[in-house]
Amino acid sequence: HLLSDVVEQALTLDLAFSDAAGERFQVPFALTPATIDAATFRSLQESASLLGKLSQAMSDDIGLIKELHSPLVRGDIFFAELLSIHEELHADQSLPRVPLLIQRSDFMLDESMGPRLVECNSIAAGMAPFGEQAHHLHQYIRQQWPAEFSRFSSAATGQLVPNNAIARLSEAIVAAARAIRSEAGDEGAPTFVMVIQENEDNVFDQYLLERALRERGVRTFRRTFRELHAQLSSGPNERLMLKNGGAIDVVYLRAGYQYCDYIATDLDTRRCCDALRETRIFIERHRVAVNATVAQQLATSKRTQQYLSEASAKTLEKYKMSASKVQSLKAILAEMRSIDTGTADFLRQEGQAANWVLKNQGEGGGHCLFDEQIVAQLELLSGDDYAAWTLMRRLRPVARKTPTVIIRNGVAERVEGLVSELGLFTAHLAGRPLLQADETDPAYLGYLIRSKPPTVTEGGIHSGSGVLDSLIYN
């Protein structure tokens, strides 16, 4: 009875994916939430806000973006394209678009080092709505099934960590949209365009946000890059116009983080991805709030993250960060190392492979290699490839003390030692927090928790063995 009930409740909360036939199926989730202490969570909020502010500042540093990513050109075709777009856009002195940074900063709590940054995501930084709905699901389970909730939780009487991600994310987007529309002197409802992938299966997370925006009086549209290629035009005062939609105030990219998002061979005239590449450039050449700009995407790459981990405190202070803020930032950055001809020998001779993760520059799942896979991959790389890969110190996340149950496709499985990745969302418009100034932290939006069994390395909900989760104070 519990299993069928909680699955139905999850579907009622729109915790679902859509398959190719349009049928929905439940997002995998944990029966009980992960624990965290209040001080640690507050520290992560501060770190996420600091990272959001820093990402925007670094995205404005045109020279640094070029310097960091030029070495990738020969080893990563997608980042070569991104850098080319960036250089074309910034050949002019200024761009009319307004950078809207909705960033998810992902952390793990290491057993010995404490909180450490896994990565920052500026483009397609989704699932904030799912994060809130997972919180509501756990509220329901604790109320409806208290005995089972207590059995599988080490903090059953603790306070569930509030998560108002849908309201705060929609409020931030509305604030950005109204700022653009007010500046232009336009009347009528603000207009929001979400750029989606072809055959999108993660529609319900997106619908939750769109519904909240419509409730706030915003007109919402969903378009692929291919559709936008034929439907965008220029209006007065550098306004971006959508066919049958009018002037656009906010463009929010839930696509564009992988090469296949730009492939349209029937539209290209000179080379692959030419047409949809130009669509993205066209958007940024108008007075519209954009998340994520190409500069923001590059400023949150793993290449940039490695630069932050290696940079001196003095170097980071130039981004208008106080010495104490720099110290706080450096404390959460895991060690990262460049790849060269001697890396494989170093790992092999020292028996170090188990202490590192090998990452390429890709976003989403499937871009990390562990243990014996690392040396095997390094032996396949040549000099041009090295810059596109990085070693990151492997984290050993704190395991859940109490066994719990994960539910996937309506099937329950008891799991020992579940480990979690904590994603915290922030929003900045042109480097400034978007919500009310009297908020405790006006940049913070909400959180997303993804948990996985300790025996697996791929923790994505879409692409791996991860499950949706929430937090409870211990």
Side-chain angles (χ1 to χ4, degrees):
H1 292 293
L2 179 148
L3 183 61
S4 60
D5 181 59
V6 297
V7 169
E8 286 299 322
Q9 183 65 20
L11 293 174
T12 299
L13 291 167
D14 288 326
L15 290 174
F17 293 135
S18 176
D19 63 19
E23 297 293 328
R24 67 176 188 163
F25 59 97
Q26 64 139 121
V27 173
F29 59 87
L31 185 71
T32 53
T35 60
I36 194 169
D37 65 80
T40 298
F41 186 69
R42 178 59 192 156
S43 174
L44 290 177
Q45 285 181 299
E46 294 172 352
S47 296
S49 295
L50 180 60
L51 285 163
K53 184 177 180 180
L54 179 60
S55 293
Q56 184 54 55
M58 296 183 71
S59 74
D60 292 333
D61 193 338
I62 298 171
L64 177 68
I65 294 296
K66 182 176 181 180
E67 177 186 345
L68 290 180
H69 295 90
S70 291
L72 301 180
V73 169
R74 293 188 177 183
D76 190 310
I77 186 173
F78 180 53
F79 271 77
E81 196 67 48
L82 286 179
L83 185 59
S84 172
I85 295 172
H86 182 266
E87 292 180 340
E88 184 172 339
L89 282 168
H90 292 276
D92 301 325
Q93 287 296 102
S94 62
L95 289 167
R97 54 90 173 117
V98 181
L100 169 61
L101 180 59
I102 299 170
Q103 178 167 299
R104 192 185 74 227
S105 301
D106 292 335
F107 304 89
M108 279 187 171
L109 306 182
D110 185 83
E111 293 174 342
S112 58
M113 296 184 293
R116 286 294 182 272
L117 179 69
V118 177
E119 63 181 2
C120 292
N121 299 272
S122 61
I123 185 166
M127 291 199 177
F130 272 2
E132 177 176 337
Q133 299 303 78
H135 165 73
H136 294 314
L137 178 62
H138 284 152
Q139 282 182 315
Y140 172 83
I141 295 171
R142 178 155 75 170
Q143 176 181 338
Q144 190 71 13
W145 301 93
E148 290 78 4
F149 189 90
S150 296
R151 177 185 174 191
F152 293 107
S153 174
S154 60
T157 59
Q159 178 191 354
L160 290 164
V161 180
N163 191 357
N164 299 312
I166 298 173
R168 292 178 68 84
L169 176 56
S170 59
E171 182 183 347
I173 290 172
V174 169
R178 286 177 176 165
I180 297 295
R181 184 154 288 255
S182 175
E183 176 192 81
D186 290 349
E187 298 180 352
T191 301
F192 168 87
V193 172
M194 182 183 292
V195 184
I196 61 172
Q197 293 178 317
E198 303 274 357
N199 304 313
E200 177 65 72
D201 64 349
N202 190 19
V203 294
F204 293 98
D205 174 70
Q206 297 171 3
Y207 286 158
L208 286 164
L209 172 58
E210 290 182 83
R211 185 166 62 205
L213 289 171
R214 288 193 293 271
E215 289 172 354
R216 292 176 180 269
V218 176
R219 300 166 67 229
T220 66
F221 297 88
R222 300 168 58 80
R223 297 289 187 272
T224 64
F225 274 121
R226 173 183 286 273
E227 290 169 331
L228 290 176
H229 175 73
Q231 296 178 18
L232 292 180
S233 61
S234 298
N237 302 317
E238 299 182 299
R239 295 286 269 150
L240 182 66
M241 309 298 292
L242 178 68
K243 184 178 180 181
N244 298 324
I248 303 170
D249 300 300
V250 173
V251 174
Y252 173 51
L253 273 68
R254 289 293 296 265
Y257 61 91
Q258 53 189 355
Y259 201 53
C260 62
D261 291 340
Y262 300 89
I263 294 176
T265 54
D266 57 316
L267 300 177
D268 296 331
T269 57
R270 296 176 297 172
R271 58 191 178 89
C272 180
C273 308
D274 176 56
L276 302 190
R277 172 189 189 275
E278 292 303 316
T279 300
R280 191 162 181 190
I281 291 173
F282 188 78
I283 291 170
E284 292 205 36
R285 285 183 168 157
H286 290 82
R287 192 64 175 172
V288 60
V290 180
N291 171 257
T293 67
V294 173
Q296 289 170 341
Q297 187 172 351
L298 291 169
T300 51
S301 69
K302 296 177 182 68
R303 180 79 174 174
T304 305
Q305 184 180 343
Q306 181 180 338
Y307 167 79
L308 289 176
S309 72
E310 297 172 341
S312 67
K314 186 176 181 180
T315 298
L316 296 182
E317 286 175 9
K318 74 177 183 178
Y319 294 108
K320 298 180 180 180
M321 294 173 58
S322 66
S324 62
K325 295 294 187 184
V326 171
Q327 185 177 4
S328 297
L329 176 66
K330 296 294 284 185
I332 62 166
L333 295 173
E335 180 185 359
M336 300 181 76
R337 297 174 60 119
S338 299
I339 304 299
D340 57 33
T341 55
T343 303
D345 288 339
F346 159 71
L347 295 175
R348 189 185 296 108
Q349 294 169 8
E350 302 296 326
Q352 293 285 324
N355 295 324
W356 296 90
V357 181
L358 181 64
K359 298 184 175 186
N360 62 24
Q361 299 298 314
E363 298 290 343
H367 298 286
C368 296
L369 298 175
F370 299 84
D371 301 318
E372 66 276 2
Q373 296 176 323
I374 297 177
V375 173
Q377 179 64 38
L378 290 174
E379 291 177 341
L380 298 175
L381 302 180
S382 64
D384 288 343
D385 301 320
Y386 291 143
W389 294 80
T390 184
L391 280 179
M392 179 175 174
R393 179 68 66 178
R394 187 169 182 175
L395 302 178
R396 307 292 180 181
V398 176
R400 197 174 300 196
K401 296 178 182 179
T402 304
T404 191
V405 171
I406 61 175
I407 300 174
R408 186 188 306 273
N409 297 324
V411 178
E413 176 189 359
R414 178 188 165 106
V415 178
E416 304 268 357
L418 208 64
V419 298
S420 300
E421 185 170 317
L422 295 74
L424 276 72
F425 294 87
T426 54
H428 292 83
L429 184 68
R432 298 184 304 277
L434 269 166
L435 302 183
Q436 296 299 316
D438 61 354
E439 292 277 357
T440 303
D441 189 341
Y444 170 72
L445 303 179
Y447 66 84
L448 168 73
I449 308 302
R450 292 165 295 175
S451 299
K452 64 183 179 66
T455 53
V456 301
T457 55
E458 186 54 66
I461 295 175
H462 251 124
S463 54
S465 301
V467 298
L468 200 59
D469 211 337
S470 75
L471 291 173
I472 190 169
Y473 289 127
N474 54 22

